[in-house]
Amino acid sequence: MTRKIKYFEALREAQYQCMEADKDVYIMGLGVPDPKGIFGTTTGMQEKFGADRVMDIPLAENTMTGVAIGSALKGMRPILTHQRVDFALLSMEQIINQAAKWHYMFHGLHKIPMVIRMIIGRGWGQGPQHSQSLQSLFAHIPGLKVIMPTTAYDAKGLLISAIEDDNPVISLEYRWLYGISDSVPEEMYRVPIGKARVLEEGKDITIVATSYMTLESLRAREMLQERGVNAEVIDLRTLRPMDTETIINSVKKTGRLVVADTGHKMFGVSAEVLAVVLENTFERLLNKPSRVALPDYPAPTSPALCDDYYPRAGHIAAAALEQLGKAVDDKLFALPTDRRLDQPDSKFEGPF
Amino acid sequence: MSHKKEVTVKLYSIMNRIRTVEEKIAELYPEQEMRCPVHLCIGQEAAEAGSCAALNDDDYVISGHRSHGHYLAKGGDLKAMLAEIYGKETGCAGGKGGSMHLIDLNVGFIGAAPIVGSTIPIGVGVAFASKLKKENRVMMIFLGDGVAEAGVFHESLNLAQLWNLPVIFVCENNLYSVYSPMHVRQPDTRRIVDLAAAHGMDSHYADGNDVEVVYQLTSDAVKKCRNGQGPVFIEFSTYRWREHCGPNFDNDIGYRTEDEYQVWRKRDPVALFRSKLINDYKFDESEIVKIEHDFKDQVNDAVKFAKESPFPDSSNAELHIYA
């Protein structure tokens, strides 16, 4: 049966059902069993599955990643959770040198089935070290898989696939998505890793987006529709392995491309998607493609400094209109009347 | 054979095995056919042989860059090791790893990786899972003196003690991290073993060149771990005779002295134990010579095997990126 639940509930349900289905699945992370339970994604889990399978940990991100790897070598399926991607940076050595390499460098003798959940993006004024979107760091590394679910439906289906996968999978969850509802089946289901999703078909331009920028892209599509442009919106969903086929096929059809990513533009996902398109279907492009992503400086904290930092639907629509040689009007950048720009909706409040 | 004699023979055999293989690698390395770095452990055999001899076959070992001795002491396949160093298809990691990535899961040698300290938490994780699965196996994690400067060392000790895991941390303190001596890296107001003690861990310090001392201490540690009495840390003092990486002696390049080397050379763990076998334990020297001779043949066979094995097909480079 399908019902509406929020993104964070979908993540929780995915873990819950995997824990029920496989006794080798376990969860650990700072604050996992605490009253807040990683923004509600692990609440009640320790009560249900016990302290052996749902664990708080010392403040030792690097070592705990190694411990997760070691347990995965023994056939367990750890889910290691970080409340922010920024904290996970302390574990990059274990992730890149160890988790991503052991299957390869030992010629297939070891497998590392593990999931590392990391929360990315804006919260409530989280600033330079609590709101980064560092997907391209992970997506650069062969041996890792990287998922970025946008909808609650995909959050559940992709996380289940990740937990059942025999490789290290990085799950990047944008904080502003946590409170958004979607129709989600109650039973277990899988969304395949490595498949993008065409959310809306269109013929004039392709918008490839990641995570929260997919929602902005859907808004942009409406803006474009009002201006006589029919955009196709693709949610990338997985960065590695990347579904290049879906992207290329779409651009072959529309001849135009905008990429909207939650991370930095320089050396980012948007650069990779552009490269894929240029290398594979350059001749079908009708204009130079464009990118909508974060500028080349760290995330500030004050809302006054953030308003121009984060691109939104209007910027995506404007990029599309420019490619089509159409006028860009001020209405695209009209401010919302029911909220400040530093909130995803008027109900979103602090302190996180 | 009495148990005591059996253990004695085993200890000498393992030390002799390590020494013979390492000397052979040093001899052949200038041929430039082993096209990867080698970190030889000549001089440290007692700490490695004595520790591993205390383990059961199904116990675990994990190691770092200087891992030949640990691999051999745990019973790792010699042919597969040499073939790996020669970059051959028959190597224990199919040529993907080389000398710094030995593995033999048949004897519980989980693997080796050369980022200093990185295999420590992985070993702790194996022990955690093993304990959860109630296997009653012990994990022995080999590390060097340099690790004590790294965060991951402290994080891992903290966790192993907190979770009461069946881990034996064996620290071979050979005084140098590459060319950097202890006094530029660590304060002389405390020993490495004191750091482990500060984590609340049962900790010991001993002469790592006396294989019987090593064996006794690690055997006690194994017993403790098997009884669920948590991790043990042991620091062994020892010395690597040759350069950090490669086949040569390097007492002339200026970071340590010939005199220092000669002091340790006189405490050659293999030679010391050999004389003890003859003088104290009244072994017939011919028994020992036979052990040495037989193993020499095995090493020569293994070298031949490694050299004659084919290189992996270049397409293998794209194998096993994902499971």
Side-chain angles (χ1 to χ4, degrees), chain B residues 196-211:
Chain B
H199 283 286
M201 199 173 290
D202 180 14
S203 313
H204 305 268
Y205 178 91
D207 176 5
N209 279 23
D210 185 332
V211 73

Side-chain angles (χ1 to χ4, degrees), chain B residues 111-160:
Chain B
I115 309 295
V116 170
S118 283
T119 50
I120 301 178
I122 298 176
V124 171
V126 170
F128 159 64
S130 180
K131 184 185 176 187
L132 217 60
K133 290 172 185 282
K134 302 191 192 324
E135 293 179 333
N136 204 20
R137 292 180 180 175
V138 173
M139 163 58 78
M140 186 172 277
I141 302 176
F142 283 98
L143 45 117
D145 46 277
V147 175
E149 296 139 39
V152 73
F153 168 84
H154 298 276
E155 293 182 5
S156 296
L157 262 57
N158 177 65
L159 189 83

Side-chain angles (χ1 to χ4, degrees), chain A residues 24 26 28 52 55-64 66-67 69-71 73-76 93-94 97-98 100 102-111 141-145 166-167 240, chain B residues 60 62 92-94 96-97 101-103 105 110-113 115 117-119 121-122 124-126 128-130 132-133 135 137 152 155-156 158-159 162-163 316-323:
Chain A
D24 284 327
Y26 74 102
M28 62 177 172
D52 277 354
M55 294 176 288
D56 215 328
I57 58 170
L59 278 95
E61 287 83 356
N62 198 37
T63 276
M64 295 319 297
V67 169
I69 293 168
S71 72
L73 297 178
K74 287 282 300 163
M76 301 198 57
E93 196 287 314
Q94 286 291 329
N97 280 331
Q98 314 305 333
W102 275 55
H103 182 67
Y104 182 80
M105 77 190 187
F106 291 121
H107 204 48
L109 291 171
H110 281 305
K111 283 190 296 196
I141 306 301
L144 298 180
K145 294 186 177 181
D166 279 340
N167 299 283
R240 175 181 277 274
Chain B
Y60 297 116
I62 199 164
C92 56
K96 295 253 188 64
H101 295 290
L102 300 180
I103 179 170
L105 296 179
I110 292 286
I115 309 295
S118 283
T119 50
I122 298 176
V124 171
V126 170
F128 159 64
S130 180
L132 217 60
K133 290 172 185 282
E135 293 179 333
R137 292 180 180 175
V152 73
E155 293 182 5
S156 296
N158 177 65
L159 189 83
L162 179 72
W163 287 3
N316 282 11
E318 289 185 47
L319 278 184
H320 305 304
I321 302 166
Y322 291 98

Side-chain angles (χ1 to χ4, degrees), chain A residues 51 61 77 83 104-105 163 189 206 264 314:
Chain A
E61 287 83 356
R77 294 185 174 272
Q83 299 194 17
Y104 182 80
M105 77 190 187
I163 294 166
Y189 61 91
T206 298
H264 291 290

Side-chain angles (χ1 to χ4, degrees), chain B residues 25-26 28-40 65 67-68 80-88 92 95-102 114 243-247 311:
Chain B
I25 291 172
L28 297 176
Y29 199 77
E31 293 179 348
Q32 302 287 306
E33 285 183 41
M34 295 176 227
R35 302 184 80 84
C36 64
V38 288
H39 301 82
L40 304 180
H65 58 285
S67 67
H68 296 180
M81 168 187 165
L82 288 173
E84 186 61 33
I85 297 174
Y86 275 93
K88 298 301 179 72
C92 56
K96 295 253 188 64
S99 156
M100 297 191 287
H101 295 290
L102 300 180
E243 59 195 330
H244 160 67
C245 180
F311 277 112

